[in-house]
Short mmCIF file of all heavy atoms in Angstrom, two decimals:
data_model
loop_
_atom_site.label_atom_id
_atom_site.label_comp_id
_atom_site.label_asym_id
_atom_site.label_seq_id
_atom_site.Cartn_x
_atom_site.Cartn_y
_atom_site.Cartn_z
N GLY A 248 -23.37 29.09 -9.73
CA GLY A 248 -21.99 29.53 -9.82
C GLY A 248 -21.14 28.61 -10.69
O GLY A 248 -21.63 27.70 -11.36
N THR A 249 -19.82 28.84 -10.64
CA THR A 249 -18.90 28.09 -11.51
C THR A 249 -18.80 26.62 -11.11
O THR A 249 -18.81 25.73 -11.98
CB THR A 249 -17.50 28.73 -11.46
OG1 THR A 249 -17.03 28.75 -10.10
CG2 THR A 249 -17.54 30.15 -11.99
N THR A 250 -18.70 26.36 -9.80
CA THR A 250 -18.60 24.97 -9.34
C THR A 250 -19.89 24.22 -9.65
O THR A 250 -19.86 23.05 -10.05
CB THR A 250 -18.30 24.92 -7.83
OG1 THR A 250 -17.18 25.74 -7.54
CG2 THR A 250 -18.01 23.50 -7.38
N TYR A 251 -21.01 24.90 -9.49
CA TYR A 251 -22.31 24.29 -9.80
C TYR A 251 -22.37 23.89 -11.28
O TYR A 251 -22.82 22.80 -11.63
CB TYR A 251 -23.42 25.28 -9.47
CG TYR A 251 -24.82 24.79 -9.76
CD1 TYR A 251 -25.50 24.00 -8.85
CD2 TYR A 251 -25.45 25.11 -10.97
CE1 TYR A 251 -26.79 23.55 -9.12
CE2 TYR A 251 -26.72 24.66 -11.26
CZ TYR A 251 -27.40 23.88 -10.33
OH TYR A 251 -28.67 23.42 -10.60
N ALA A 252 -21.90 24.77 -12.14
CA ALA A 252 -21.91 24.47 -13.57
C ALA A 252 -21.05 23.25 -13.88
O ALA A 252 -21.43 22.36 -14.66
CB ALA A 252 -21.42 25.68 -14.36
N ALA A 253 -19.87 23.20 -13.26
CA ALA A 253 -18.96 22.08 -13.51
C ALA A 253 -19.52 20.77 -12.98
O ALA A 253 -19.50 19.73 -13.66
CB ALA A 253 -17.60 22.36 -12.88
N LEU A 254 -20.05 20.80 -11.74
CA LEU A 254 -20.57 19.57 -11.14
C LEU A 254 -21.82 19.08 -11.86
O LEU A 254 -22.05 17.88 -11.96
CB LEU A 254 -20.85 19.79 -9.65
CG LEU A 254 -19.62 19.97 -8.77
CD1 LEU A 254 -20.04 20.29 -7.33
CD2 LEU A 254 -18.74 18.72 -8.79
N THR A 255 -22.63 20.01 -12.33
CA THR A 255 -23.81 19.62 -13.11
C THR A 255 -23.39 18.84 -14.35
O THR A 255 -23.98 17.81 -14.70
CB THR A 255 -24.63 20.86 -13.51
OG1 THR A 255 -25.11 21.52 -12.33
CG2 THR A 255 -25.82 20.48 -14.38
N HIS A 256 -22.35 19.32 -15.02
CA HIS A 256 -21.84 18.61 -16.20
C HIS A 256 -21.31 17.22 -15.81
O HIS A 256 -21.58 16.23 -16.51
CB HIS A 256 -20.75 19.42 -16.88
CG HIS A 256 -20.12 18.70 -18.03
ND1 HIS A 256 -20.74 18.55 -19.26
CD2 HIS A 256 -18.93 18.03 -18.14
CE1 HIS A 256 -19.97 17.86 -20.06
NE2 HIS A 256 -18.86 17.53 -19.41
N LEU A 257 -20.56 17.13 -14.72
CA LEU A 257 -20.01 15.83 -14.29
C LEU A 257 -21.13 14.85 -13.98
O LEU A 257 -21.04 13.65 -14.31
CB LEU A 257 -19.11 16.02 -13.07
CG LEU A 257 -17.78 16.76 -13.29
CD1 LEU A 257 -17.06 16.96 -11.97
CD2 LEU A 257 -16.90 16.01 -14.27
N ARG A 258 -22.20 15.33 -13.33
CA ARG A 258 -23.33 14.44 -13.02
C ARG A 258 -24.01 13.98 -14.31
O ARG A 258 -24.36 12.80 -14.45
CB ARG A 258 -24.33 15.17 -12.12
CG ARG A 258 -23.80 15.43 -10.70
CD ARG A 258 -24.89 15.96 -9.79
NE ARG A 258 -24.36 16.29 -8.47
CZ ARG A 258 -24.08 17.50 -8.06
NH1 ARG A 258 -24.30 18.54 -8.85
NH2 ARG A 258 -23.60 17.70 -6.84
N GLN A 259 -24.21 14.90 -15.23
CA GLN A 259 -24.85 14.53 -16.50
C GLN A 259 -23.99 13.55 -17.29
O GLN A 259 -24.52 12.68 -18.00
CB GLN A 259 -25.12 15.79 -17.32
CG GLN A 259 -26.20 16.69 -16.73
CD GLN A 259 -26.34 18.01 -17.46
OE1 GLN A 259 -25.48 18.39 -18.26
NE2 GLN A 259 -27.43 18.73 -17.20
N ALA A 260 -22.68 13.66 -17.14
CA ALA A 260 -21.76 12.76 -17.84
C ALA A 260 -21.61 11.41 -17.14
O ALA A 260 -20.97 10.50 -17.67
CB ALA A 260 -20.40 13.42 -17.99
N GLY A 261 -22.18 11.29 -15.94
CA GLY A 261 -22.12 10.02 -15.21
C GLY A 261 -20.75 9.70 -14.64
O GLY A 261 -20.39 8.53 -14.48
N VAL A 262 -19.99 10.73 -14.31
CA VAL A 262 -18.61 10.52 -13.83
C VAL A 262 -18.60 9.75 -12.51
O VAL A 262 -17.81 8.80 -12.34
CB VAL A 262 -17.87 11.86 -13.68
CG1 VAL A 262 -16.53 11.66 -12.99
CG2 VAL A 262 -17.67 12.49 -15.06
N ALA A 263 -19.45 10.12 -11.56
CA ALA A 263 -19.47 9.43 -10.27
C ALA A 263 -19.81 7.96 -10.43
O ALA A 263 -19.20 7.08 -9.81
CB ALA A 263 -20.46 10.11 -9.32
N ASP A 264 -20.80 7.67 -11.28
CA ASP A 264 -21.18 6.27 -11.52
C ASP A 264 -20.02 5.51 -12.15
O ASP A 264 -19.77 4.34 -11.81
CB ASP A 264 -22.41 6.20 -12.43
CG ASP A 264 -23.69 6.65 -11.74
OD1 ASP A 264 -23.71 6.65 -10.49
OD2 ASP A 264 -24.64 7.01 -12.44
N ALA A 265 -19.32 6.16 -13.07
CA ALA A 265 -18.20 5.50 -13.73
C ALA A 265 -17.09 5.18 -12.74
O ALA A 265 -16.45 4.12 -12.81
CB ALA A 265 -17.66 6.39 -14.87
N ILE A 266 -16.84 6.09 -11.78
CA ILE A 266 -15.82 5.83 -10.77
C ILE A 266 -16.22 4.65 -9.90
O ILE A 266 -15.39 3.76 -9.62
CB ILE A 266 -15.58 7.09 -9.91
CG1 ILE A 266 -14.94 8.19 -10.76
CG2 ILE A 266 -14.70 6.77 -8.71
CD1 ILE A 266 -14.88 9.54 -10.08
N CYS A 267 -17.48 4.61 -9.47
CA CYS A 267 -17.96 3.48 -8.67
C CYS A 267 -17.84 2.17 -9.44
O CYS A 267 -17.43 1.14 -8.89
CB CYS A 267 -19.40 3.71 -8.23
SG CYS A 267 -19.62 5.00 -7.00
N GLU A 268 -18.19 2.20 -10.71
CA GLU A 268 -18.10 1.00 -11.54
C GLU A 268 -16.64 0.57 -11.69
O GLU A 268 -16.33 -0.63 -11.70
CB GLU A 268 -18.71 1.26 -12.91
CG GLU A 268 -20.24 1.39 -12.88
CD GLU A 268 -20.81 1.93 -14.18
OE1 GLU A 268 -20.04 2.06 -15.16
OE2 GLU A 268 -22.01 2.23 -14.21
N ALA A 269 -15.73 1.54 -11.79
CA ALA A 269 -14.31 1.22 -11.90
C ALA A 269 -13.82 0.51 -10.64
O ALA A 269 -13.04 -0.46 -10.72
CB ALA A 269 -13.51 2.50 -12.13
N VAL A 270 -14.27 0.96 -9.48
CA VAL A 270 -13.89 0.31 -8.21
C VAL A 270 -14.37 -1.13 -8.21
O VAL A 270 -13.65 -2.05 -7.80
CB VAL A 270 -14.46 1.09 -7.02
CG1 VAL A 270 -14.24 0.32 -5.71
CG2 VAL A 270 -13.81 2.46 -6.91
N HIS A 271 -15.60 -1.37 -8.67
CA HIS A 271 -16.13 -2.74 -8.73
C HIS A 271 -15.33 -3.60 -9.71
O HIS A 271 -15.09 -4.78 -9.45
CB HIS A 271 -17.61 -2.72 -9.12
CG HIS A 271 -18.52 -2.28 -8.01
ND1 HIS A 271 -18.84 -3.11 -6.95
CD2 HIS A 271 -19.16 -1.11 -7.79
CE1 HIS A 271 -19.65 -2.46 -6.13
NE2 HIS A 271 -19.86 -1.25 -6.61
N LYS A 272 -14.93 -3.02 -10.83
CA LYS A 272 -14.12 -3.76 -11.80
C LYS A 272 -12.78 -4.16 -11.19
O LYS A 272 -12.29 -5.28 -11.38
CB LYS A 272 -13.88 -2.92 -13.06
CG LYS A 272 -15.11 -2.68 -13.90
CD LYS A 272 -15.56 -3.95 -14.60
CE LYS A 272 -16.71 -3.66 -15.57
NZ LYS A 272 -17.22 -4.90 -16.22
N ALA A 273 -12.18 -3.25 -10.44
CA ALA A 273 -10.90 -3.55 -9.79
C ALA A 273 -11.07 -4.64 -8.74
O ALA A 273 -10.23 -5.54 -8.63
CB ALA A 273 -10.33 -2.27 -9.15
N GLU A 274 -12.16 -4.58 -7.97
CA GLU A 274 -12.40 -5.60 -6.94
C GLU A 274 -12.64 -6.97 -7.59
O GLU A 274 -12.14 -7.99 -7.11
CB GLU A 274 -13.60 -5.19 -6.08
CG GLU A 274 -13.78 -6.02 -4.82
CD GLU A 274 -14.68 -7.22 -5.01
OE1 GLU A 274 -15.38 -7.29 -6.05
OE2 GLU A 274 -14.70 -8.10 -4.12
#
Side-chain angles (χ1 to χ4, degrees):
T249 58
T250 308
Y251 179 84
L254 291 175
T255 297
H256 176 76
L257 291 175
R258 291 188 184 102
Q259 291 173 346
V262 171
D264 289 340
I266 292 170
C267 289
E268 289 168 8
V270 172
H271 285 285
K272 291 290 186 183
E274 191 269 347

